[in-house]
Short mmCIF file of all heavy atoms in Angstrom, two decimals:
data_model
loop_
_atom_site.label_atom_id
_atom_site.label_comp_id
_atom_site.label_asym_id
_atom_site.label_seq_id
_atom_site.Cartn_x
_atom_site.Cartn_y
_atom_site.Cartn_z
N THR X 306 -5.10 23.88 8.38
CA THR X 306 -4.42 25.08 7.77
C THR X 306 -3.45 24.50 6.79
O THR X 306 -2.61 23.62 7.08
CB THR X 306 -3.65 26.05 8.77
OG1 THR X 306 -2.83 25.19 9.55
CG2 THR X 306 -4.75 26.69 9.77
N VAL X 307 -3.42 25.01 5.48
CA VAL X 307 -2.54 24.51 4.52
C VAL X 307 -2.39 25.70 3.49
O VAL X 307 -3.32 26.43 3.21
CB VAL X 307 -3.14 23.19 3.92
CG1 VAL X 307 -4.41 23.50 3.15
CG2 VAL X 307 -2.16 22.60 2.90
N SER X 308 -1.25 25.74 2.83
CA SER X 308 -0.95 26.90 2.01
C SER X 308 -1.83 26.83 0.74
O SER X 308 -2.24 27.75 0.22
CB SER X 308 0.53 26.95 1.69
OG SER X 308 0.97 25.64 1.19
N GLY X 309 -1.97 25.61 0.20
CA GLY X 309 -2.87 25.36 -0.91
C GLY X 309 -3.39 24.05 -0.80
O GLY X 309 -2.49 23.09 -0.71
N LEU X 310 -4.68 23.76 -0.86
CA LEU X 310 -5.26 22.35 -0.65
C LEU X 310 -5.37 21.60 -2.00
O LEU X 310 -6.08 22.04 -2.84
CB LEU X 310 -6.57 22.49 -0.05
CG LEU X 310 -7.20 21.08 0.39
CD1 LEU X 310 -6.41 20.47 1.40
CD2 LEU X 310 -8.73 21.30 0.75
N ARG X 311 -4.62 20.50 -2.09
CA ARG X 311 -4.75 19.64 -3.17
C ARG X 311 -5.97 18.73 -2.91
O ARG X 311 -6.68 18.28 -3.85
CB ARG X 311 -3.44 18.79 -3.46
CG ARG X 311 -3.44 17.90 -4.74
CD ARG X 311 -2.17 17.05 -4.82
NE ARG X 311 -0.90 17.95 -4.85
CZ ARG X 311 -0.38 18.29 -5.98
NH1 ARG X 311 -1.05 18.28 -7.06
NH2 ARG X 311 0.71 19.03 -5.88
N GLY X 312 -6.07 18.19 -1.58
CA GLY X 312 -7.16 17.36 -1.41
C GLY X 312 -7.24 17.07 0.12
O GLY X 312 -6.16 17.30 0.81
N LEU X 313 -8.46 16.83 0.70
CA LEU X 313 -8.60 16.41 2.07
C LEU X 313 -9.14 15.03 2.15
O LEU X 313 -10.04 14.69 1.32
CB LEU X 313 -9.50 17.42 2.77
CG LEU X 313 -9.78 17.18 4.32
CD1 LEU X 313 -9.83 18.49 5.04
CD2 LEU X 313 -10.92 16.37 4.60
N PHE X 314 -8.60 14.15 2.99
CA PHE X 314 -8.79 12.75 2.86
C PHE X 314 -9.36 12.34 4.28
O PHE X 314 -8.88 12.85 5.33
CB PHE X 314 -7.54 12.07 2.72
CG PHE X 314 -7.02 12.35 1.37
CD1 PHE X 314 -6.20 13.45 1.30
CD2 PHE X 314 -7.11 11.42 0.29
CE1 PHE X 314 -5.56 13.86 -0.09
CE2 PHE X 314 -6.47 11.73 -0.96
CZ PHE X 314 -5.79 12.88 -1.13
N TRP X 315 -10.39 11.46 4.26
CA TRP X 315 -10.84 10.83 5.47
C TRP X 315 -10.54 9.31 5.40
O TRP X 315 -10.74 8.68 4.32
CB TRP X 315 -12.35 10.95 5.67
CG TRP X 315 -12.76 12.23 6.20
CD1 TRP X 315 -13.25 13.41 5.41
CD2 TRP X 315 -12.76 12.72 7.59
NE1 TRP X 315 -13.50 14.43 6.17
CE2 TRP X 315 -13.24 14.06 7.58
CE3 TRP X 315 -12.47 12.10 8.80
CZ2 TRP X 315 -13.35 14.77 8.76
CZ3 TRP X 315 -12.69 12.75 9.86
CH2 TRP X 315 -13.12 14.10 9.92
N TYR X 316 -9.98 8.82 6.56
CA TYR X 316 -9.59 7.31 6.63
C TYR X 316 -10.29 6.88 7.88
O TYR X 316 -10.44 7.51 8.89
CB TYR X 316 -8.19 7.16 6.75
CG TYR X 316 -7.37 7.35 5.51
CD1 TYR X 316 -6.89 8.65 5.06
CD2 TYR X 316 -7.03 6.26 4.63
CE1 TYR X 316 -6.22 8.74 3.87
CE2 TYR X 316 -6.31 6.41 3.52
CZ TYR X 316 -5.92 7.62 3.11
OH TYR X 316 -5.21 7.84 1.95
N ARG X 317 -10.57 5.49 7.89
CA ARG X 317 -10.92 4.89 9.08
C ARG X 317 -9.78 3.83 9.46
O ARG X 317 -9.32 3.17 8.53
CB ARG X 317 -12.30 4.10 8.75
CG ARG X 317 -12.64 3.00 9.67
CD ARG X 317 -13.64 2.02 9.31
NE ARG X 317 -13.92 0.99 10.29
CZ ARG X 317 -15.10 0.74 10.78
NH1 ARG X 317 -16.13 1.18 10.45
NH2 ARG X 317 -15.10 -0.33 11.72
N GLN X 318 -9.55 3.76 10.73
CA GLN X 318 -8.53 2.80 11.20
C GLN X 318 -9.04 1.94 12.39
O GLN X 318 -9.43 2.58 13.40
CB GLN X 318 -7.22 3.59 11.57
CG GLN X 318 -6.07 2.65 11.89
CD GLN X 318 -4.76 3.34 12.19
OE1 GLN X 318 -4.84 4.59 12.64
NE2 GLN X 318 -3.65 2.83 11.86
N ASP X 319 -8.99 0.75 12.17
CA ASP X 319 -9.40 -0.26 13.20
C ASP X 319 -8.17 -0.67 13.95
O ASP X 319 -7.02 -0.54 13.42
CB ASP X 319 -10.00 -1.57 12.64
CG ASP X 319 -11.36 -1.16 12.04
OD1 ASP X 319 -12.25 -0.70 12.75
OD2 ASP X 319 -11.58 -1.30 10.82
N PRO X 320 -8.21 -1.04 15.30
CA PRO X 320 -7.04 -1.34 16.15
C PRO X 320 -6.23 -2.45 15.41
O PRO X 320 -6.70 -3.51 14.94
CB PRO X 320 -7.70 -1.93 17.31
CG PRO X 320 -9.01 -1.30 17.43
CD PRO X 320 -9.48 -1.15 15.94
N GLY X 321 -4.88 -2.11 15.29
CA GLY X 321 -3.92 -3.16 14.75
C GLY X 321 -3.93 -3.17 13.28
O GLY X 321 -3.24 -4.10 12.69
N LYS X 322 -4.68 -2.31 12.59
CA LYS X 322 -4.72 -2.29 11.12
C LYS X 322 -4.21 -0.92 10.53
O LYS X 322 -4.18 0.08 11.27
CB LYS X 322 -6.09 -2.58 10.63
CG LYS X 322 -6.62 -3.98 11.13
CD LYS X 322 -7.70 -4.47 10.46
CE LYS X 322 -8.25 -5.86 10.71
NZ LYS X 322 -9.40 -6.29 10.05
N GLY X 323 -3.95 -0.94 9.34
CA GLY X 323 -3.59 0.29 8.52
C GLY X 323 -4.84 1.06 8.28
O GLY X 323 -6.08 0.60 8.30
N PRO X 324 -4.67 2.37 8.01
CA PRO X 324 -5.77 3.27 7.72
C PRO X 324 -6.58 2.75 6.40
O PRO X 324 -5.92 2.33 5.47
CB PRO X 324 -5.24 4.64 7.53
CG PRO X 324 -3.92 4.65 8.28
CD PRO X 324 -3.54 3.18 8.22
#
Side-chain angles (χ1 to χ4, degrees):
Chain X
T306 55
V307 64
S308 55
L310 184 68
R311 188 185 299 272
L313 184 140
F314 301 78
W315 282 98
Y316 285 85
R317 168 192 171 127
Q318 187 171 29
D319 293 299
K322 297 190 176 181

